[in-house]
Amino acid sequence: MFEGIAQGFQVAFSWEAILFIFIGVFVGTIIGMIPGLGPISAIAIMIPVTYSMDPTIALVMMAGVYYGSMYGGSTSSILLNAPGVAGTVAASFDGYPMAQQGKAGKALAISAIASFVGGTVSVILLMLFAPVLASVAIIFGPPEYFALMLLGLTAIASLSEGSTIKALISAVLGFMIVTIGIDAQTGTSRFTFGSVNLLDGVDFLVIALGVCAIAEVCFLILNRKQKLSGLHNIGSLKLTKEDFKEMKGPMTRQSFIGFILGVLPGAGATISSFVAYISEKKMAKNPEEFGKGSIKGLTAPETANNAATSGAFVPLLSLGIPGSGTTAVMLGAFLVLGVQPGPLLMTENPTVFWGIIVSMYLGNVFLLILNLPLIPYFVKILKVPRPLLISLVIISSLIGVYAVSFSTFDLYLLVVFGIIGYLMRIFAFPAAPFILAFILGGMMENALRQSLTISGGSWDIFFTSPLTLSLFALTIIAIVVPAWRDRVKRRKGKDTPLGL
Amino acid sequence: MSRKLFVLMIIGLLLLTGCTMPVQTGSINAAGEWEPDRSIEVIAPSAAGGGWDTTARMLARTIDEENLSDQGFGVVNKPGGGGAVGWAYIHKRNDPHNLFISSPPIHFVKQNGQSPYGYDDFTPIANLIADYGAFAVRDDARWDTLGELFEEMKESPENITVVGNSSPGSMDHMQFIMFADAAGVDITKIRYVSDQEGGAMTGVLNGSIDVISTGVLDAAEQARAGKMKVLGITAPERLKGDEFLETLPTGREQGIDAEFIVWRGIFGPPDMTEEQLTYYEDIIKETSESEAFADIRNRYGWDERFMDSEEFKDFLDEQSVEIEALLKELGFITE
Amino acid sequence: MKLTVNKGLSLVLLVIAASYLFMAYNLPEYAFVPVDADLIPKLLGFALVILSICFFFSKDIDTEEQKKKRVIKKKEAGMLLGVMVLILLYITVLEVVGFVIMTAAFIIVCTRFLGYQNWIATISTAVIFSVGAYALFNYGLAIRLPAGILPF
């Protein structure tokens, strides 16, 4: 193995590799910044470029494209509240408020540093444990996934902005939206009103850009004459010692958690970023700051989603199993280059295996030194006069959706969800549970029904594996403990506004 | 001023919705050959990155690089409804400058009632390549051949679960059904689990599911590493060219009279003239025979299987009838 | 009796739940799986019914701040509607007229409509942005945006 690692270093530190890692992360960041285009599109777009390249160099570059685009995605999430991929939604919860307070440069710097730490720690983990973790990646079967999704859904309560019942209603509505389309387990088309355009369901992008970006635009239009506060030092990247102190905790914890969740096929960046956000909020001394521009609230998801990106390479490289849409396209890139990832890759092709892993150290460093100096330029977008900025945000959202679906139908849907998002905002229904339920709901329903098909309809299947049981136990703790804490708080007279 | 602006724009809108991009028909030259008016759009009725998209892009690339046509070939994605959105678009335009790539799902989507148009609503131009399915189990599973698996399924079908990447009534499911049916298993009792998020292989490796129905290359890689065994592949005869792939047994040689070819071919709009058809058929034949495309086939592990329009159509008719009968039995098609 | 905002909302949600449930009960059956496609939708429908009933009887917590958010001046509401009409127009004719022209037109008209007076800045941004985005997608990323009436 050490010989392999040494070979990896040799490959990754060759001039050619360094150049292409740089190109990879650069192109990835740029593509990722375009709302709508995330890692999947970035990798798919870059595949043809690699045809005539040396396979190892090409794959090292593709890995750079992957985490570069993951990083780039959070820029539009933070600056414009326009998350282009599910993994960066959580970054907007606190990143966007920070940008609104005139701390856009700081927010982007935090995002860059957190991504760097998450990425680097997880590469170390990847290097040390990739061969061992391969067996962890497959212990999750449908019942375990169901339990994991259930645990994820408990986050709804923590994402509520005061009223639990409104959060629950938002979540149920989000879950309802995801039931639209062809049902995966029976092929029945549900709630499509006979429209071919709805057979594949509503695209995540339409939801995210509609409910976040377009709804936000409505408020920008109403407040277009208001000046942003603190615009003069908006590009300042300065982080104080206190800031770093706040970031330290979440960065250490979430690097590990993000990596582990990234290893599980199907969980990936999205779930890890939400889990990171919620767990930090639960642990924080001042959870009421979350959602209002908390440093911890931005650090956590940014660390976790980048850590998860390296985690996703575990099942891909050591099992040949793509755990997500992105790694599936990545697998395609491997195959085109004549490299078959899987259990044999490490022994038969150690240069590729270790080359990719070692190159990620470099890639993460490049991301940091490439992006920190550019932040002052990125934040200039917020100095654009409001009316012009509004037009540009609208157009970018429209292009983002169109470039993925090529259908004007989806653009109309985008407007519809923009209106829904606006209405939710003015009636104080939180948007986060809506999006979370939309993301997790579909996977949860599938896992539930897959399990029941396997067991022939018997619910016992959920109570036989110790892993499922422990996840259920965590779920119960996640629900009971905060509720109990609230009660205690209220008895002490510090009444927190609760919906019921 | 804003009100005036709106009135003007609404009038503009009304004027504009009346017209769309004009449909052109091309022309016939002195030699009696059809000539296109503009560049050809090859439509992949899926998002970027999938099988249809890859085939389309490789086809267009080869044609352009080898100068097989004096017009450019460009790929356009029209994803949605498992292909239905793209098919509806081509059917409506009916423009000989639009082609599209398809594969067996065009049967399934149509027959499951998810698209008003099927293969027989378009003009099959030529088939390009073929791929095959495989059935695999975990390495320590109690079955070594398809015969043993199906024997047990005949007795107690409820003990065995099958997983695939596609939804029920589509490819991974139906290729297994086809083989099980030929072996005499009661196909209405087969427990099929669909996992479209990449968990299918995991499910079999960790033992929560028994059999995976998937593509040959996916299964072969796990088998090569000794984690799985391939019980059978859906090709009519053994694969050639790779030492390991050659060892995988077909269904036929195990006494199961079934085969399933995952073809990928090119279709044109509903009404095409003889000349237009010949024009495209020739280009695709040349592509298929070119060295550049042979190289691409090798990269992706595709099999060469060129069929001209007529042969392709007969093949599709046959496959369609077979699939329809099984879908009826499973209750996907109700009268 | 006059309905409070929350009570009115819960009635709307109840109607949504009811129509969703109605559709869920009319889903076609599929015989060969232990749990059919209608299980989750039915559960969701009932969950929404229960939640909206709870919401109806819950303590009204419509704060002053929220009320303020809903009060929009007539002129401002006109602005919102105007921009929406512009977006709908853009979507409707995008594929006919083409990306470059429509995008530039949208940016110019929308920005002007929202009250920005600097014509030079607006027009130059509009042209650079639309041509740049078109070039980036079509030539850089090989994603075809509608060319429309322009020849390239």
Side-chain angles (χ1 to χ4, degrees):
Chain A
M1 182 173 143
F2 288 106
E3 204 180 314
I5 296 177
Q7 271 178 333
F9 271 99
Q10 234 168 32
V11 173
F13 284 88
S14 68
W15 278 113
E16 214 189 348
I18 291 176
L19 175 70
F20 279 100
I21 296 168
F22 187 81
I23 295 178
V25 294
F26 182 73
V27 172
T29 315
I30 300 290
I31 299 180
M33 275 179 198
I34 302 171
L37 301 189
I40 295 191
S41 340
I43 295 169
I45 286 162
M46 291 300 283
I47 289 179
V49 180
T50 61
Y51 285 127
S52 51
M53 288 167 66
D54 169 70
T56 314
I57 301 294
L59 287 171
V60 160
M61 182 181 86
M62 292 307 262
V65 171
Y66 183 13
Y67 46 79
S69 54
M70 199 70 227
Y71 169 80
S74 27
T75 310
S76 58
S77 202
I78 291 171
L79 291 181
L80 305 172
N81 201 24
V85 282
T88 61
V89 171
S92 70
F93 293 164
D94 280 285
Y96 185 64
M98 264 178 107
Q100 288 289 292
Q101 292 154 16
K103 291 185 277 189
K106 194 168 157 186
L108 288 181
I110 290 175
S111 154
I113 293 167
S115 299
F116 171 73
V117 173
T120 308
V121 172
S122 64
V123 179
I124 300 176
L125 296 174
L126 178 62
M127 202 153 105
L128 294 177
F129 301 117
V132 192
L133 279 171
S135 50
V136 177
I138 61 162
I139 55 176
F140 270 60
E144 286 83 9
Y145 274 114
F146 172 71
L148 181 68
M149 301 301 157
L150 205 62
L151 178 62
L153 279 184
T154 59
I156 288 166
S158 11
L159 292 174
S160 67
E161 292 152 7
S163 161
T164 315
I165 194 160
K166 281 184 170 173
L168 287 174
I169 291 174
S170 286
V172 171
L173 290 175
F175 205 154
M176 281 178 168
I177 301 292
V178 83
T179 59
I180 294 174
I182 295 177
D183 168 45
Q185 296 307 313
T186 59
T188 312
S189 41
R190 300 189 289 188
F191 313 109
T192 56
F193 305 97
S195 159
V196 198
N197 293 301
L198 282 173
L199 283 178
D200 281 348
V202 182
D203 197 274
F204 163 78
L205 253 189
V206 171
I207 299 286
L209 291 180
V211 174
C212 302
I214 299 289
E216 182 62 28
V217 160
C218 296
F219 286 96
L220 286 179
I221 292 173
L222 294 179
N223 305 326
R224 68 186 174 285
K225 284 177 192 126
Q226 253 170 43
K227 281 254 154 58
L228 270 180
S229 52
L231 260 181
H232 51 281
N233 64 351
I234 189 171
S236 155
L237 312 180
K238 229 183 237 161
L239 293 175
T240 61
K241 252 191 201 143
E242 280 72 45
D243 293 340
F244 274 111
K245 228 186 229 163
E246 279 214 31
M247 290 168 69
K248 217 170 79 192
M251 280 199 298
T252 346
R253 285 187 288 270
Q254 302 310 333
S255 295
F256 288 89
I257 298 177
F259 178 73
I260 305 262
L261 287 175
V263 169
L264 301 175
T270 312
I271 292 179
S272 68
S273 63
F274 277 107
V275 167
Y277 186 81
I278 291 138
S279 57
E280 286 304 325
K281 186 174 176 183
K282 289 230 163 95
M283 268 184 266
K285 279 191 221 101
N286 38 8
E288 66 281 352
E289 274 178 23
F290 277 65
K292 291 173 191 142
S294 151
I295 290 181
K296 281 194 170 136
L298 174 61
T299 312
E302 281 300 274
T303 312
N305 71 18
N306 275 58
T309 311
S310 336
F313 274 93
V314 172
L316 179 69
L317 290 177
S318 53
L319 294 169
I321 293 173
S324 63
T326 316
T327 36
V329 181
M330 195 74 190
L331 178 67
F334 274 80
L335 295 179
V336 168
L337 292 159
V339 178
Q340 170 76 55
L344 297 178
L345 183 66
M346 196 169 73
T347 43
E348 285 184 353
N349 224 334
T351 353
V352 173
F353 185 86
W354 293 110
I356 291 175
I357 293 179
V358 174
S359 77
M360 289 181 184
Y361 287 113
L362 276 181
N364 275 302
V365 174
F366 285 159
L367 264 185
L368 195 66
I369 53 176
L370 180 75
N371 284 297
L372 281 181
L374 288 180
I375 288 174
Y377 300 97
F378 292 150
V379 298
K380 284 231 169 87
I381 179 108
L382 294 181
K383 284 195 177 173
V384 171
R386 278 290 175 95
L388 194 52
L389 182 64
I390 292 168
S391 312
L392 291 177
V393 174
I394 295 174
I395 281 291
S396 305
S397 306
L398 290 167
I399 302 175
V401 170
Y402 191 83
V404 172
S405 71
F406 302 95
S407 106
T408 43
F409 180 86
D410 275 15
L411 293 181
Y412 289 116
L413 267 188
L414 176 72
V415 176
V416 171
F417 279 100
I419 296 170
I420 292 177
Y422 177 70
L423 291 177
M424 282 171 67
R425 289 273 287 274
I426 59 173
F427 291 112
F429 282 83
F434 183 84
I435 296 176
L436 183 71
F438 179 83
I439 295 170
L440 296 186
M443 292 196 249
M444 186 168 108
E445 179 182 8
N446 259 324
L448 172 74
R449 289 172 50 208
Q450 284 165 350
S451 310
L452 290 174
T453 307
I454 293 170
S455 72
S458 155
W459 292 77
D460 290 349
I461 189 166
F462 295 111
F463 302 101
T464 46
S465 118
L467 193 54
T468 326
L469 288 175
S470 11
L471 285 168
F472 281 144
L474 275 177
T475 310
I476 293 170
I477 293 172
I479 296 172
V480 173
V481 170
W484 179 75
R485 238 196 324 196
D486 275 342
R487 263 185 94 130
V488 173
K489 256 192 200 166
R490 246 189 302 177
R491 238 180 249 159
K492 280 182 183 163
K494 285 183 204 158
D495 195 17
T496 45
L498 210 79
L500 279 166
Chain B
M1 94 118 205
S2 64
R3 190 167 293 162
K4 255 189 210 159
L5 200 73
F6 280 140
V7 174
L8 270 177
M9 280 200 301
I10 284 161
I11 293 170
L13 169 73
L14 290 175
L15 284 174
L16 279 165
T17 40
C19 50
T20 47
M21 193 157 116
V23 172
Q24 289 160 300
T25 53
S27 53
I28 308 278
N29 69 9
E33 286 161 351
W34 182 70
E35 278 179 354
D37 282 339
R38 55 181 170 88
S39 62
I40 314 295
E41 271 181 18
V42 182
I43 288 164
S46 63
W52 285 341
D53 179 63
T54 317
T55 317
R57 284 182 195 276
M58 292 306 117
L59 175 74
R61 193 179 139 105
T62 316
I63 294 174
D64 276 351
E65 281 179 3
E66 305 285 302
N67 287 323
L68 298 177
S69 161
D70 34 1
Q71 286 289 353
F73 274 61
V75 176
V76 176
N77 296 84
K78 279 266 169 219
V85 173
W87 301 329
Y89 169 80
I90 292 155
H91 197 271
K92 192 175 139 210
R93 280 187 60 84
N94 203 1
D95 181 331
H97 299 83
N98 290 148
L99 307 179
F100 70 96
I101 301 283
S102 195
S103 66
I106 197 171
H107 295 305
F108 301 120
V109 174
K110 163 77 194 286
Q111 296 188 10
N112 287 328
Q114 288 150 7
S115 161
Y117 307 111
Y119 78 98
D120 47 356
D121 293 299
F122 299 98
T123 315
I125 294 174
N127 189 55
L128 197 58
I129 48 172
D131 219 338
Y132 305 97
F135 311 118
V137 295
R138 201 155 84 152
D139 186 52
D140 55 2
R142 54 187 183 277
W143 316 282
D144 284 313
T145 62
L146 276 184
E148 285 173 36
L149 174 71
F150 287 139
E151 222 31 66
E152 192 177 330
M153 288 187 90
K154 271 188 228 171
E155 313 224 313
S156 44
E158 66 281 355
N159 284 344
I160 295 167
T161 44
V162 185
V163 71
N165 290 313
S166 61
S167 67
S170 199
M171 212 152 72
D172 289 348
H173 183 206
M174 294 313 288
Q175 67 182 16
F176 187 81
I177 293 289
M178 230 174 230
F179 276 66
D181 187 59
V185 177
D186 178 358
I187 57 171
T188 61
K189 294 224 167 72
I190 291 176
R191 278 207 202 140
Y192 176 78
V193 180
S194 153
D195 196 319
Q196 292 158 25
E197 274 144 43
M201 197 64 87
T202 325
V204 177
L205 287 175
N206 70 22
S208 44
I209 299 164
D210 302 301
V211 188
I212 182 167
S213 167
T214 182
V216 168
L217 290 179
D218 280 357
E221 179 55 23
Q222 300 295 332
R224 223 189 278 261
K227 302 221 163 189
M228 277 194 171
K229 9 180 209 199
V230 175
L231 299 185
I233 59 172
T234 68
E237 49 199 69
R238 288 207 179 198
L239 303 175
K240 290 184 200 79
D242 178 283
E243 237 172 78
F244 184 77
L245 292 181
E246 279 169 18
T247 65
L248 305 179
T250 65
R252 279 253 157 74
E253 66 187 76
Q254 303 181 54
I256 295 158
D257 186 25
E259 62 173 55
F260 185 73
I261 300 168
V262 186
W263 50 271
R264 263 182 232 145
I266 291 95
F267 291 76
D271 308 312
M272 285 179 90
T273 62
E274 203 56 41
E275 292 84 5
Q276 290 164 352
L277 187 59
T278 322
Y279 173 84
Y280 287 123
E281 226 177 4
D282 289 347
I283 291 180
I284 292 160
K285 192 167 175 29
E286 280 177 58
T287 312
S288 176
E289 285 164 358
S290 73
E291 236 167 76
F293 201 75
D295 188 44
I296 289 169
R297 276 197 303 262
N298 275 340
R299 270 170 185 263
Y300 285 94
W302 297 333
D303 237 19
E304 192 275 334
R305 191 160 178 128
F306 180 81
M307 290 188 246
D308 64 21
S309 178
E310 217 166 297
E311 196 188 341
F312 189 27
K313 195 176 173 309
D314 292 343
F315 168 80
L316 290 170
D317 287 339
E318 214 174 290
Q319 199 175 41
S320 165
V321 171
E322 201 179 343
I323 289 167
E324 192 179 342
L326 291 173
L327 284 173
K328 266 196 188 132
E329 200 172 332
L330 288 176
F332 285 103
I333 303 179
T334 42
E335 248 75 13
Chain C
M1 188 187 97
K2 217 178 139 202
L3 281 178
T4 61
V5 174
N6 279 1
K7 293 212 180 352
L9 278 178
S10 56
L11 289 182
V12 173
L13 287 168
L14 212 56
V15 173
I16 295 177
S19 30
Y20 185 83
L21 272 175
F22 174 78
M23 286 189 284
Y25 272 96
N26 282 309
L27 283 174
E29 260 174 65
Y30 177 71
F32 309 116
V33 282
V35 237
D36 206 349
D38 58 351
L39 174 77
I40 295 288
K42 281 177 186 165
L43 289 178
L44 286 174
F46 285 117
L48 191 59
V49 169
I50 294 168
L51 284 171
S52 31
I53 292 172
C54 290
F55 189 44
F56 188 88
F57 291 108
S58 78
K59 212 163 42 172
D60 209 276
I61 45 155
D62 205 22
T63 60
E64 281 308 308
E65 194 191 345
Q66 286 166 33
K67 274 189 192 135
K68 228 165 66 193
K69 253 190 188 170
R70 281 198 296 274
V71 182
I72 305 171
K73 282 187 211 123
K74 244 199 190 140
K75 195 179 150 225
E76 296 296 296
M79 280 293 182
L80 278 183
L81 262 165
V83 173
M84 202 171 93
V85 170
L86 284 177
I87 298 177
L88 291 178
L89 266 170
Y90 177 86
I91 300 173
T92 315
V93 290
L94 172 69
E95 286 183 342
V96 184
V97 180
F99 177 83
V100 178
I101 297 178
M102 279 316 290
T103 303
F106 179 88
I107 294 174
I108 295 168
V109 175
C110 184
T111 309
R112 182 62 238 237
F113 177 68
L114 291 171
Y116 186 55
Q117 305 287 349
N118 189 337
W119 279 107
I120 299 167
T122 310
I123 291 174
S124 52
T125 314
V127 172
I128 294 170
F129 184 86
S130 55
V131 174
Y134 188 76
L136 174 70
F137 276 91
N138 269 35
Y139 307 112
L141 306 178
I143 293 175
R144 281 235 212 160
L145 295 174
I149 49 179
L150 291 179
F152 48 85

